[in-house]
Amino acid sequence: MQRVPHVNAATVLVDPAVLRDLEVHLMTQDLQLWPVATAPICTDGPRTAFQIRRRLLTARRGEWDDAASWVPVWIAFGESWYVGAEPLPWTAHQALYLTLDRYAGHVHYKRGLGGIPRLDVPRDLVS
């Protein structure tokens, strides 16, 4: 059986007040922020976003209740972080977590990455 192509991504709840600033900051490090509700891999993005937000909030048993209206996003790693078929290097994880730590109080996430279907950026948009 062949594994479905995927990318490593963090699932993060983001305060809408800092969403744009965080996205721009991540872009400078070749990290891609994709709001789940509008991600091209979701057939029903708003429902998927609702389900992810609810699952994350419920798992924290009230600890993250301040994020009830926050935006669930996926943060994926750009091509510069990968070296052929090698696993994602620790420096990639470190760059992500250091950036998220700078937005403490405006983001909630559990350390660790999940796999999501490829979120390809058209090559003519990247330069």
Side-chain angles (χ1 to χ4, degrees):
M1 184 190 313
Q2 189 114 5
R3 187 174 185 184
V4 177
H6 71 283
V7 293
N8 293 311
T11 302
V12 181
L13 289 175
V14 180
D15 181 346
V18 301
L19 184 61
R20 286 289 146 217
D21 291 338
L22 176 60
E23 182 175 22
V24 170
H25 190 157
L26 290 167
M27 282 193 296
T28 65
Q29 299 177 63
D30 196 21
L31 296 166
Q32 304 159 349
L33 183 144
W34 297 87
V36 173
T38 58
I41 60 169
C42 292
T43 55
D44 188 354
R47 181 174 176 81
T48 303
F50 172 83
Q51 291 170 334
I52 288 173
R53 182 185 312 105
R54 182 171 180 190
R55 182 176 37 100
L56 292 172
L57 294 175
T58 303
R60 292 306 219 180
R61 300 180 187 199
E63 186 181 340
W64 289 357
D65 281 355
D66 60 330
S69 63
W70 289 9
V71 180
V73 302
W74 286 309
I75 300 174
F77 298 85
E79 288 183 22
S80 69
W81 290 108
Y82 292 94
V83 179
E86 292 296 315
L88 196 59
W90 174 244
T91 54
H93 297 249
Q94 193 174 32
L96 171 64
Y97 298 137
L98 287 174
T99 301
L100 292 176
D101 288 347
R102 289 185 61 182
Y103 289 84
H106 296 281
V107 297
H108 290 314
Y109 64 98
K110 180 182 170 199
R111 284 187 183 245
L113 303 175
I116 60 172
R118 290 197 182 279
L119 292 158
D120 291 322
V121 177
R123 298 306 312 151
D124 60 339
L125 296 179
V126 180
S127 53

